[in-house]
Amino acid sequence: MKLSTKGRYGLMAMYQLAAHYGEGPISLNSIAEMEGLSEAYLEQLFSLLKKNNLIKSVRGAQGGYLLTKSPNDIKIREIIQALEGEMMLSCCHEPRETPCQKESYCATKEILEKIQIQMEGILDSMTLADM
């Protein structure tokens, strides 16, 4: 299992916003330069982060982006979910019209559910401030 560039780059960009929390807005260009990322790609990621109310934009000459709340209050899981969507290891939890035919004898269901619970617990236990 590998986190996509959306998740990795989004975490890197959010780290910069956390590192400069309380100093005012940071331009997308500055974040791109600090992390060595494409500004155009960051625009796409920031659109998702903004839609999920993790960041806000400030217009104008001194504008840029800010976190919507303290780095201590933003869980890593929130960031990854905003960028990647719900991370599900098993298809058992996906919405479906008909029940899974293999549910009663699925060899992987129990172990994947345990891994899912642990993964969610870890991502919920870490905040942006922990980075």
Side-chain angles (χ1 to χ4, degrees), residues 1-12 14 45 48-49 52 54 74-88 116 119-120 122-124 126 128 131:
M1 178 171 59
K2 186 176 181 180
L3 195 61
S4 78
T5 55
K6 275 186 183 179
R8 290 194 317 272
Y9 292 1
L11 283 172
M12 292 163 66
M14 289 291 282
L45 302 182
L48 293 169
L49 294 166
N52 284 272
L54 294 172
I74 298 176
K75 296 181 184 305
I76 298 300
R77 182 176 177 191
E78 291 178 277
I79 300 168
I80 292 174
Q81 268 186 326
L83 298 166
E84 303 275 357
E86 194 69 42
M87 293 179 65
M88 302 302 293
Q116 181 80 36
M119 180 181 69
E120 289 173 359
I122 291 167
L123 295 174
D124 277 336
M126 296 185 303
L128 195 51
M131 290 180 68

Side-chain angles (χ1 to χ4, degrees), residues 22-35:
E23 298 174 11
I26 302 175
S27 73
L28 200 61
N29 185 318
S30 295
I31 295 169
E33 284 181 15
M34 287 185 269
E35 291 293 343

Side-chain angles (χ1 to χ4, degrees), residues 7 15 18 30 37 49 62 76 108 115-116 122 124-125 130:
Y15 168 78
S30 295
L37 302 173
L49 294 166
Q62 300 300 314
I76 298 300
T108 62
I115 295 169
Q116 181 80 36
I122 291 167
D124 277 336
S125 72
D130 295 325

